[in-house]
Amino acid sequence: MKKFNPNKNIIITLIIVIIIVTVLSITMARRAVAQKTSFAQVIVNDTVAVVDKTLYTPVRWFENGVASIQDLFVTYQENERLKGKIDNYDEVVQQNESQKREISNLKEELDLNETLTNYEKKPANVISRSPDSWQDMMIVDQGSEEGISDNMAVMAKNGLIGRVLEVNAHSSKVELLTSDNQTSNHFPVRITTEDGDAFGLLKGYDRRNQALVVEELTGESDIKEDDTVQTSGLGGNSPSDLNVGKVIEAEPDDFGLDRKVYVQPAADVNDVSVVTIIERTVGED
C-alpha cells in the first residue's frame, strides 16, 4: 500500500498559490502599463456577468412585480380616498346651498317682522306640503300650545300668503291664497290709487294669469297697474296694512256690473320654508 506523503501535498499547494499570485501580478502589471483588461480577466468578468444576469433577472422581475402590485394597491386606496373627498365635497356644497337659502329666508322674515311692529308675530317652519295640494295647503310647526288660533293671517317673504285654517296642539294647517276653495280664505283688501282708496274682497286665484283676484269693489277710483294692494282690516279677523301685492290689470267682471282686479302676489308660495303668523293686537281698529 502506497504511503500518504503530506509534505508532497503542501509543496503542490504552494506551487499552485505561487502560480496564481504570479498570474495576477503579471495581469495587474500589464493593466497598469497598457490600461487594457487581459483575455483571462475578460472571460472571468463575462462569466460572472452572465451568471449574475441569469440568477438575478427572475429575482428582479419578482421584485418589480411586487412593487407594481403595491403601487396598484396604493393607487386604489388613494382613489378611494379621493372619491370619498369628492362625495363629501358635493355634500358640503349642497349643505352650504341649503344653509344660504335658509339664511336668506330667515333674513326676509326678519325684515318682515321689523315692519310689522303693531302685530303679534309668531315665526313657524313649514314641515309638510303635499304635492297634491301644493297650491292649497301647508303644515307649519306651531299650534294652539304656542298661541295659534283659526283665521290668523300668514305671511312669508314680505307678502300675505294665506290664513290658518285648522289648529292642532303643536301644528297648524294653512290655507293659501292660491287655493281653489272659493268659499273661504277671503281677505278684505284696500287698493291705494291716485284718486284715493278702493276697498274690495280677495276672492280667488287665477291660475292662467297667476294672479290673485279682487272683486266687490267699492267707489269709483281709477285703479291702475302697480297700485298697491294691502289688507284693510275691516273683516275683523286679519289686521290692516299687510302687503298683498301689486295691481296687474283691472277689467269689468263677466256681467259688466262690477270690476275685477288682478293682483301680482308679493310672495311666491312655491318656495316657502319659513312663515310668520300674524295675530291682530287688542284695540286695533
Side-chain angles (χ1 to χ4, degrees), residues 127-228:
I127 58 176
S128 178
R129 197 168 180 183
S130 173
D132 296 335
S133 58
W134 189 263
Q135 299 293 329
D136 299 329
M137 300 288 179
M138 65 172 56
I139 307 297
V140 298
D141 63 353
Q142 299 289 304
S144 58
E145 293 295 324
E146 291 77 28
I148 307 301
S149 60
D150 293 345
N151 293 320
M152 284 186 176
V154 181
M155 300 191 72
K157 299 184 177 181
N158 296 321
L160 184 70
I161 64 169
R163 76 165 80 242
V164 176
L165 179 67
E166 180 183 311
V167 181
N168 301 308
H170 296 287
S171 65
S172 298
K173 181 182 293 185
V174 176
E175 184 179 38
L176 302 175
L177 297 180
T178 53
S179 171
D180 289 329
N181 189 354
Q182 299 294 322
T183 61
S184 64
N185 208 16
H186 295 171
F187 281 90
V189 296
R190 179 184 67 250
I191 303 176
T192 303
T193 71
E194 294 179 355
D195 302 331
D197 293 338
F199 295 87
L201 189 64
L202 193 63
K203 297 190 67 174
Y205 181 73
D206 188 310
R207 296 190 183 278
R208 180 176 60 85
N209 295 315
Q210 296 185 351
L212 304 171
V213 181
V214 177
E215 298 183 70
E216 300 183 16
L217 290 162
T218 62
E220 299 296 330
S221 300
D222 184 17
I223 300 174
K224 298 180 180 179
E225 185 178 355
D226 290 333
D227 284 344
T228 301

Side-chain angles (χ1 to χ4, degrees), residues 35-59:
Q35 297 295 326
K36 186 176 181 181
T37 305
S38 66
F39 177 76
Q41 190 171 358
V42 169
I43 293 176
V44 171
N45 291 340
D46 289 342
T47 302
V48 172
V50 170
V51 172
D52 179 75
K53 183 176 181 180
T54 303
L55 293 177
Y56 285 97
T57 296
V59 175

Side-chain angles (χ1 to χ4, degrees), residues 245-278:
K246 296 287 186 180
V247 173
I248 299 175
E249 181 185 3
E251 64 179 17
D253 65 6
D254 296 335
F255 303 100
L257 302 175
D258 195 5
R259 288 176 294 175
K260 182 182 292 186
V261 177
Y262 295 93
V263 179
Q264 176 66 46
D268 181 10
V269 298
N270 292 316
D271 183 20
V272 176
S273 59
V274 181
V275 301
T276 299
I277 301 175
I278 309 300

Side-chain angles (χ1 to χ4, degrees), residues 4-194:
F4 177 74
N5 188 357
N7 294 329
K8 183 179 180 180
N9 292 334
I10 293 173
I11 294 171
I12 294 172
T13 303
L14 288 174
I15 293 172
I16 293 173
V17 171
I18 292 170
I19 293 172
I20 292 174
V21 171
T22 303
V23 172
L24 291 176
S25 298
I26 295 172
T27 301
M28 293 177 65
R30 289 182 177 178
R31 288 192 62 187
V33 175
Q35 297 295 326
K36 186 176 181 181
T37 305
S38 66
F39 177 76
Q41 190 171 358
V42 169
I43 293 176
V44 171
N45 291 340
D46 289 342
T47 302
V48 172
V50 170
V51 172
D52 179 75
K53 183 176 181 180
T54 303
L55 293 177
Y56 285 97
T57 296
V59 175
R60 293 192 184 99
W61 286 349
F62 178 76
E63 290 177 347
N64 292 335
V66 171
S68 298
I69 293 174
Q70 290 177 344
D71 292 340
L72 181 62
F73 276 108
V74 171
T75 303
Y76 175 79
Q77 293 173 352
E78 290 179 351
N79 287 338
E80 290 299 314
R81 286 196 296 269
L82 290 174
K83 287 180 181 179
K85 290 181 179 180
I86 292 174
D87 293 339
N88 291 335
Y89 176 78
D90 292 339
E91 182 178 353
V92 169
V93 170
Q94 292 175 1
Q95 289 177 350
N96 288 339
E97 291 298 326
S98 298
Q99 290 172 354
K100 287 180 182 179
R101 185 165 54 251
E102 182 176 355
I103 291 172
S104 177
N105 291 336
L106 291 173
K107 285 182 177 179
E108 290 178 354
E109 290 307 309
L110 180 61
D111 292 339
L112 170 65
N113 289 335
E114 289 177 349
T115 63
L116 300 177
T117 56
N118 295 327
Y119 314 126
E120 291 292 335
K121 303 168 288 290
K122 299 182 183 295
N125 297 306
V126 178
I127 58 176
S128 178
R129 197 168 180 183
S130 173
D132 296 335
S133 58
W134 189 263
Q135 299 293 329
D136 299 329
M137 300 288 179
M138 65 172 56
I139 307 297
V140 298
D141 63 353
Q142 299 289 304
S144 58
E145 293 295 324
E146 291 77 28
I148 307 301
S149 60
D150 293 345
N151 293 320
M152 284 186 176
V154 181
M155 300 191 72
K157 299 184 177 181
N158 296 321
L160 184 70
I161 64 169
R163 76 165 80 242
V164 176
L165 179 67
E166 180 183 311
V167 181
N168 301 308
H170 296 287
S171 65
S172 298
K173 181 182 293 185
V174 176
E175 184 179 38
L176 302 175
L177 297 180
T178 53
S179 171
D180 289 329
N181 189 354
Q182 299 294 322
T183 61
S184 64
N185 208 16
H186 295 171
F187 281 90
V189 296
R190 179 184 67 250
I191 303 176
T192 303
T193 71
E194 294 179 355

